Amino acid sequence: MSDDKFKTAISRIGAREDWRQAFIRQLVKYEETISSTGVDVREEITGPLVDALYDDNHIVRKTLSSGVVFEFLYRSKIARDFVMSVPENPDHVWEPQTSRILVNLAKSANQVVIGGAYFGDHAILIAREISATGGVVHAFEPNNEQRDMLASNARLNGLSNIISRPEGLWHNSNSNLKLSGYDSFATAESVDEGTDTFKTVTISDYLKSIQVDRLDLIVLDIEGAELSALQ
């Protein structure tokens, strides 16, 4: 098959949601039924086929077994593995053990800070857990598009206890950072003020600004800047 025919075929499948989902289900079944030696089937075969069904601006919707709904941009391995999850409606988006531990820890939390909230894969689950007791999630995400997805996911799930913030958590306030790299792989680097930069804030300064004197849970996934945030 020529490259053009392959691209046309994939494009036709990707243009219809029912065809796309049926195709993905068959690829997942394929993974379950073959044995491979020295080949990462997901990374080298099935994953790239699923990647070809989406572009970077494609918004995917998926529902967890709990009924929580997520919309997300297809831009990362997180998105791909969530799309190809087994079971089709899992109880988590990414990192199952981490997700379950965080939800369990949140049961006794009231004020939660999340650095690197992304599209809300953990923030939504935590906010849902603590909403009935008046708990609040302070979700920091400097990536504008992902922060917009976080806000959208909060609305989709009827959650009003997530405060989304554009700053980057850091060891001082009012520095300028810029994301270097793409989407979930981006790391923060210190730069002069300019386009595509964002301000920093310390956890302490932020809590003082909103008059919160007790913090119950800190969740950080900020690509190597965790120590700076804790300092």
Side-chain angles (χ1 to χ4, degrees), residues 102-113 126 129-131 133-137 161 214-218:
L102 289 176
V103 170
N104 190 55
L105 289 172
K107 292 180 186 298
S108 58
N110 185 54
Q111 298 288 335
V112 179
V113 161
I126 292 173
E129 183 65 35
I130 65 178
S131 62
T133 57
V136 178
V137 174
N161 62 330
R214 175 188 170 91
L215 184 60
D216 303 300
L217 181 62
I218 302 174

mmCIF file of all heavy atoms in Angstrom, residues 102-113 126 129-131 133-137 161 214-218:
data_model
loop_
_atom_site.group_PDB
_atom_site.id
_atom_site.type_symbol
_atom_site.label_atom_id
_atom_site.label_comp_id
_atom_site.label_asym_id
_atom_site.label_seq_id
_atom_site.Cartn_x
_atom_site.Cartn_y
_atom_site.Cartn_z
ATOM 1 N N LEU A 102 -3.709 9.701 45.917
ATOM 2 C CA LEU A 102 -4.088 11.107 46.086
ATOM 3 C C LEU A 102 -5.551 11.247 46.505
ATOM 4 O O LEU A 102 -5.885 12.066 47.375
ATOM 5 C CB LEU A 102 -3.845 11.877 44.787
ATOM 6 C CG LEU A 102 -2.375 12.121 44.429
ATOM 7 C CD1 LEU A 102 -2.266 12.815 43.074
ATOM 8 C CD2 LEU A 102 -1.681 12.946 45.499
ATOM 9 N N VAL A 103 -6.420 10.466 45.897
ATOM 10 C CA VAL A 103 -7.836 10.519 46.279
ATOM 11 C C VAL A 103 -8.001 10.084 47.732
ATOM 12 O O VAL A 103 -8.787 10.676 48.481
ATOM 13 C CB VAL A 103 -8.686 9.639 45.335
ATOM 14 C CG1 VAL A 103 -10.105 9.485 45.874
ATOM 15 C CG2 VAL A 103 -8.735 10.253 43.936
ATOM 16 N N ASN A 104 -7.240 9.083 48.150
ATOM 17 C CA ASN A 104 -7.319 8.618 49.541
ATOM 18 C C ASN A 104 -6.802 9.686 50.498
ATOM 19 O O ASN A 104 -7.410 9.949 51.545
ATOM 20 C CB ASN A 104 -6.527 7.327 49.701
ATOM 21 C CG ASN A 104 -6.762 6.678 51.053
ATOM 22 O OD1 ASN A 104 -7.893 6.414 51.447
ATOM 23 N ND2 ASN A 104 -5.677 6.405 51.777
ATOM 24 N N LEU A 105 -5.672 10.327 50.151
ATOM 25 C CA LEU A 105 -5.127 11.382 50.993
ATOM 26 C C LEU A 105 -6.092 12.572 51.076
ATOM 27 O O LEU A 105 -6.191 13.239 52.104
ATOM 28 C CB LEU A 105 -3.779 11.854 50.444
ATOM 29 C CG LEU A 105 -2.599 10.892 50.583
ATOM 30 C CD1 LEU A 105 -1.389 11.421 49.833
ATOM 31 C CD2 LEU A 105 -2.248 10.670 52.051
ATOM 32 N N ALA A 106 -6.786 12.824 49.984
ATOM 33 C CA ALA A 106 -7.698 13.971 49.933
ATOM 34 C C ALA A 106 -8.893 13.817 50.865
ATOM 35 O O ALA A 106 -9.545 14.815 51.201
ATOM 36 C CB ALA A 106 -8.186 14.182 48.500
ATOM 37 N N LYS A 107 -9.179 12.606 51.280
ATOM 38 C CA LYS A 107 -10.348 12.382 52.142
ATOM 39 C C LYS A 107 -10.268 13.203 53.426
ATOM 40 O O LYS A 107 -11.305 13.564 53.993
ATOM 41 C CB LYS A 107 -10.470 10.889 52.475
ATOM 42 C CG LYS A 107 -10.821 10.009 51.284
ATOM 43 C CD LYS A 107 -10.919 8.557 51.697
ATOM 44 C CE LYS A 107 -11.117 7.621 50.511
ATOM 45 N NZ LYS A 107 -12.359 7.875 49.778
ATOM 46 N N SER A 108 -9.059 13.487 53.893
ATOM 47 C CA SER A 108 -8.902 14.259 55.135
ATOM 48 C C SER A 108 -8.342 15.653 54.861
ATOM 49 O O SER A 108 -7.837 16.309 55.765
ATOM 50 C CB SER A 108 -7.970 13.509 56.105
ATOM 51 O OG SER A 108 -6.705 13.270 55.507
ATOM 52 N N ALA A 109 -8.438 16.117 53.618
ATOM 53 C CA ALA A 109 -7.873 17.417 53.250
ATOM 54 C C ALA A 109 -8.964 18.455 53.038
ATOM 55 O O ALA A 109 -10.088 18.129 52.653
ATOM 56 C CB ALA A 109 -7.035 17.282 51.988
ATOM 57 N N ASN A 110 -8.603 19.704 53.296
ATOM 58 C CA ASN A 110 -9.515 20.813 53.033
ATOM 59 C C ASN A 110 -8.921 21.783 52.018
ATOM 60 O O ASN A 110 -9.607 22.220 51.094
ATOM 61 C CB ASN A 110 -9.826 21.559 54.339
ATOM 62 C CG ASN A 110 -10.860 22.650 54.132
ATOM 63 O OD1 ASN A 110 -11.940 22.400 53.611
ATOM 64 N ND2 ASN A 110 -10.527 23.860 54.533
ATOM 65 N N GLN A 111 -7.632 22.108 52.175
ATOM 66 C CA GLN A 111 -6.940 23.002 51.253
ATOM 67 C C GLN A 111 -5.826 22.224 50.549
ATOM 68 O O GLN A 111 -4.938 21.673 51.194
ATOM 69 C CB GLN A 111 -6.345 24.198 52.008
ATOM 70 C CG GLN A 111 -7.380 25.074 52.704
ATOM 71 C CD GLN A 111 -8.210 25.894 51.724
ATOM 72 O OE1 GLN A 111 -7.780 26.183 50.607
ATOM 73 N NE2 GLN A 111 -9.413 26.275 52.151
ATOM 74 N N VAL A 112 -5.899 22.199 49.233
ATOM 75 C CA VAL A 112 -4.959 21.407 48.424
ATOM 76 C C VAL A 112 -4.317 22.306 47.378
ATOM 77 O O VAL A 112 -5.002 23.078 46.699
ATOM 78 C CB VAL A 112 -5.683 20.241 47.720
ATOM 79 C CG1 VAL A 112 -4.704 19.438 46.865
ATOM 80 C CG2 VAL A 112 -6.375 19.338 48.738
ATOM 81 N N VAL A 113 -3.008 22.218 47.244
ATOM 82 C CA VAL A 113 -2.285 22.910 46.175
ATOM 83 C C VAL A 113 -1.745 21.881 45.198
ATOM 84 O O VAL A 113 -1.130 20.891 45.601
ATOM 85 C CB VAL A 113 -1.122 23.758 46.740
ATOM 86 C CG1 VAL A 113 -0.111 24.098 45.636
ATOM 87 C CG2 VAL A 113 -1.646 25.042 47.350
ATOM 88 N N ILE A 126 -9.544 14.967 42.920
ATOM 89 C CA ILE A 126 -9.397 15.462 44.286
ATOM 90 C C ILE A 126 -10.522 16.431 44.627
ATOM 91 O O ILE A 126 -11.125 16.354 45.706
ATOM 92 C CB ILE A 126 -8.018 16.136 44.455
ATOM 93 C CG1 ILE A 126 -6.909 15.082 44.364
ATOM 94 C CG2 ILE A 126 -7.944 16.874 45.792
ATOM 95 C CD1 ILE A 126 -5.508 15.657 44.360
ATOM 96 N N GLU A 129 -13.651 14.725 45.420
ATOM 97 C CA GLU A 129 -13.603 14.045 46.717
ATOM 98 C C GLU A 129 -13.877 15.001 47.868
ATOM 99 O O GLU A 129 -14.498 14.620 48.866
ATOM 100 C CB GLU A 129 -12.230 13.383 46.899
ATOM 101 C CG GLU A 129 -12.065 12.570 48.169
ATOM 102 C CD GLU A 129 -12.975 11.352 48.200
ATOM 103 O OE1 GLU A 129 -13.223 10.735 47.137
ATOM 104 O OE2 GLU A 129 -13.462 11.023 49.306
ATOM 105 N N ILE A 130 -13.424 16.257 47.756
ATOM 106 C CA ILE A 130 -13.508 17.171 48.887
ATOM 107 C C ILE A 130 -14.594 18.237 48.726
ATOM 108 O O ILE A 130 -14.746 19.109 49.589
ATOM 109 C CB ILE A 130 -12.148 17.865 49.145
ATOM 110 C CG1 ILE A 130 -11.755 18.777 47.973
ATOM 111 C CG2 ILE A 130 -11.075 16.830 49.403
ATOM 112 C CD1 ILE A 130 -10.443 19.526 48.198
ATOM 113 N N SER A 131 -15.350 18.172 47.653
ATOM 114 C CA SER A 131 -16.353 19.221 47.400
ATOM 115 C C SER A 131 -17.449 19.254 48.466
ATOM 116 O O SER A 131 -17.913 20.326 48.857
ATOM 117 C CB SER A 131 -16.978 19.041 46.014
ATOM 118 O OG SER A 131 -17.651 17.797 45.917
ATOM 119 N N THR A 133 -17.327 18.689 51.571
ATOM 120 C CA THR A 133 -16.903 19.235 52.862
ATOM 121 C C THR A 133 -16.360 20.654 52.736
ATOM 122 O O THR A 133 -15.773 21.183 53.684
ATOM 123 C CB THR A 133 -15.838 18.334 53.504
ATOM 124 O OG1 THR A 133 -14.720 18.198 52.594
ATOM 125 C CG2 THR A 133 -16.398 16.962 53.815
ATOM 126 N N GLY A 134 -16.532 21.263 51.568
ATOM 127 C CA GLY A 134 -16.085 22.638 51.367
ATOM 128 C C GLY A 134 -14.618 22.773 51.042
ATOM 129 O O GLY A 134 -14.063 23.878 51.122
ATOM 130 N N GLY A 135 -13.962 21.690 50.687
ATOM 131 C CA GLY A 135 -12.545 21.727 50.344
ATOM 132 C C GLY A 135 -12.290 22.453 49.036
ATOM 133 O O GLY A 135 -13.157 22.512 48.161
ATOM 134 N N VAL A 136 -11.080 23.001 48.906
ATOM 135 C CA VAL A 136 -10.712 23.780 47.729
ATOM 136 C C VAL A 136 -9.397 23.264 47.153
ATOM 137 O O VAL A 136 -8.456 22.954 47.899
ATOM 138 C CB VAL A 136 -10.562 25.284 48.069
ATOM 139 C CG1 VAL A 136 -10.135 26.081 46.840
ATOM 140 C CG2 VAL A 136 -11.864 25.829 48.632
ATOM 141 N N VAL A 137 -9.350 23.175 45.821
ATOM 142 C CA VAL A 137 -8.121 22.811 45.114
ATOM 143 C C VAL A 137 -7.586 24.059 44.424
ATOM 144 O O VAL A 137 -8.277 24.682 43.614
ATOM 145 C CB VAL A 137 -8.378 21.706 44.064
ATOM 146 C CG1 VAL A 137 -7.118 21.460 43.248
ATOM 147 C CG2 VAL A 137 -8.832 20.424 44.740
ATOM 148 N N ASN A 161 -15.119 24.174 43.084
ATOM 149 C CA ASN A 161 -14.120 24.309 44.146
ATOM 150 C C ASN A 161 -12.690 24.173 43.630
ATOM 151 O O ASN A 161 -11.781 23.804 44.380
ATOM 152 C CB ASN A 161 -14.382 23.301 45.266
ATOM 153 C CG ASN A 161 -14.297 21.858 44.802
ATOM 154 O OD1 ASN A 161 -14.590 21.553 43.644
ATOM 155 N ND2 ASN A 161 -13.906 20.967 45.698
ATOM 156 N N ARG A 214 -3.588 27.214 56.632
ATOM 157 C CA ARG A 214 -3.309 25.781 56.781
ATOM 158 C C ARG A 214 -3.433 25.104 55.426
ATOM 159 O O ARG A 214 -4.426 25.284 54.720
ATOM 160 C CB ARG A 214 -4.288 25.133 57.770
ATOM 161 C CG ARG A 214 -4.126 23.616 57.877
ATOM 162 C CD ARG A 214 -5.243 22.987 58.704
ATOM 163 N NE ARG A 214 -5.210 21.543 58.613
ATOM 164 C CZ ARG A 214 -4.549 20.749 59.450
ATOM 165 N NH1 ARG A 214 -3.865 21.270 60.440
ATOM 166 N NH2 ARG A 214 -4.575 19.433 59.302
ATOM 167 N N LEU A 215 -2.420 24.331 55.092
ATOM 168 C CA LEU A 215 -2.417 23.582 53.837
ATOM 169 C C LEU A 215 -2.345 22.101 54.171
ATOM 170 O O LEU A 215 -1.512 21.670 54.967
ATOM 171 C CB LEU A 215 -1.219 23.997 52.978
ATOM 172 C CG LEU A 215 -1.098 23.385 51.589
ATOM 173 C CD1 LEU A 215 -2.309 23.722 50.733
ATOM 174 C CD2 LEU A 215 0.169 23.882 50.904
ATOM 175 N N ASP A 216 -3.229 21.312 53.575
ATOM 176 C CA ASP A 216 -3.328 19.896 53.940
ATOM 177 C C ASP A 216 -2.624 18.952 52.976
ATOM 178 O O ASP A 216 -2.205 17.867 53.364
ATOM 179 C CB ASP A 216 -4.808 19.498 54.028
ATOM 180 C CG ASP A 216 -5.565 20.355 55.015
ATOM 181 O OD1 ASP A 216 -5.195 20.344 56.202
ATOM 182 O OD2 ASP A 216 -6.507 21.055 54.593
ATOM 183 N N LEU A 217 -2.527 19.354 51.713
ATOM 184 C CA LEU A 217 -1.953 18.442 50.721
ATOM 185 C C LEU A 217 -1.286 19.243 49.611
ATOM 186 O O LEU A 217 -1.852 20.215 49.109
ATOM 187 C CB LEU A 217 -3.059 17.551 50.129
ATOM 188 C CG LEU A 217 -2.664 16.510 49.073
ATOM 189 C CD1 LEU A 217 -1.678 15.491 49.654
ATOM 190 C CD2 LEU A 217 -3.908 15.808 48.537
ATOM 191 N N ILE A 218 -0.067 18.843 49.254
ATOM 192 C CA ILE A 218 0.661 19.437 48.127
ATOM 193 C C ILE A 218 0.927 18.350 47.100
ATOM 194 O O ILE A 218 1.453 17.283 47.437
ATOM 195 C CB ILE A 218 2.004 20.044 48.567
ATOM 196 C CG1 ILE A 218 1.794 21.113 49.632
ATOM 197 C CG2 ILE A 218 2.750 20.642 47.376
ATOM 198 C CD1 ILE A 218 3.091 21.647 50.216
#
